[in-house]
Amino acid sequence: MSCILTIGGADFNIDDFIDKHDLNPYKKSYKGYPKFKSNPDGEKLVSSSFSIEVSLADFADPENQLNDAILFLTGNEEWLSDIPLTTKIDYAILDFGFHIIYEHDFCKSIKIKNDLLLKAGNLGLEIQLSFYSIDIDDALTVS
């Protein structure tokens, strides 16, 4: 998944929100549960959240990720408009994941279209750009 929407909060009842809007998240996390499954006695989550796939475009394909996000926000505007109205939601982040190859990319620019910024802003969504570096040898095998 190259673009996901994560919605959460310290006192947010994710199951009620999911049921109310008949959503199908690919991931749910609950406050008080272990942060890492591999360390059940370690640090605990301080909020509950769920994540939904927004784009399955490749990490090297920002144009399609951004277009998918616009389509997602437009097609789901009815339930997304509840985000700013739900007081228990502390964050709603639209996170785009991109590959970056430092050896060949002196500078990498990604233009975010105005309509995406306006739609996300009006729905109370933050936008996050996550850049994942990959080894040059791996990049040559990525399609």
Side-chain angles (χ1 to χ4, degrees), residues 65-119:
Q65 284 188 50
L66 297 168
N67 289 336
D68 288 349
I70 292 168
L71 292 172
F72 177 86
L73 297 181
T74 302
N76 292 281
E77 197 165 356
E78 185 175 328
W79 73 264
L80 290 169
S81 64
D82 268 359
I83 292 172
L85 304 175
T86 305
T87 58
K88 302 289 184 181
I89 292 177
D90 296 332
Y91 56 90
I93 302 169
L94 193 58
D95 184 12
F96 294 88
F98 304 109
H99 280 155
I100 187 163
I101 307 165
Y102 289 108
E103 187 169 320
H104 291 288
D105 292 337
F106 172 74
C107 176
K108 182 74 168 182
S109 297
I110 297 171
K111 180 176 69 173
I112 301 175
K113 298 175 183 178
N114 287 339
D115 48 348
L116 176 58
L117 294 170
L118 288 170
K119 285 182 185 302

Side-chain angles (χ1 to χ4, degrees), residues 1-15:
M1 289 154 275
S2 56
C3 182
I4 59 170
L5 172 63
T6 300
I7 302 169
D11 299 314
F12 178 42
N13 187 324
I14 62 171
D15 292 319

Side-chain angles (χ1 to χ4, degrees), residues 5-142:
L5 172 63
T6 300
I7 302 169
D11 299 314
F12 178 42
N13 187 324
I14 62 171
D15 292 319
D16 284 352
F17 192 89
I18 290 166
D19 290 344
K20 176 182 177 183
H21 298 290
D22 195 30
L23 303 176
N24 187 25
Y26 79 90
K27 179 182 177 185
K28 295 193 278 186
S29 301
Y30 294 93
K31 179 180 178 177
Y33 280 53
K35 190 170 186 177
F36 302 104
K37 291 179 184 178
S38 60
N39 187 8
D41 296 325
E43 189 176 352
K44 306 296 184 212
L45 294 170
V46 296
S47 65
S48 296
S49 66
F50 68 91
S51 298
I52 294 178
E53 299 170 332
V54 173
S55 176
L56 296 176
D58 192 83
F59 278 73
D61 190 2
E63 184 74 25
N64 278 327
Q65 284 188 50
L66 297 168
N67 289 336
D68 288 349
I70 292 168
L71 292 172
F72 177 86
L73 297 181
T74 302
N76 292 281
E77 197 165 356
E78 185 175 328
W79 73 264
L80 290 169
S81 64
D82 268 359
I83 292 172
L85 304 175
T86 305
T87 58
K88 302 289 184 181
I89 292 177
D90 296 332
Y91 56 90
I93 302 169
L94 193 58
D95 184 12
F96 294 88
F98 304 109
H99 280 155
I100 187 163
I101 307 165
Y102 289 108
E103 187 169 320
H104 291 288
D105 292 337
F106 172 74
C107 176
K108 182 74 168 182
S109 297
I110 297 171
K111 180 176 69 173
I112 301 175
K113 298 175 183 178
N114 287 339
D115 48 348
L116 176 58
L117 294 170
L118 288 170
K119 285 182 185 302
N122 287 336
L123 295 168
L125 305 179
E126 295 177 80
I127 294 179
Q128 178 172 303
L129 305 178
S130 299
F131 295 92
Y132 300 91
S133 67
I134 57 175
D135 185 271
I136 187 66
D137 293 330
D138 292 339
L140 296 174
T141 61
V142 173

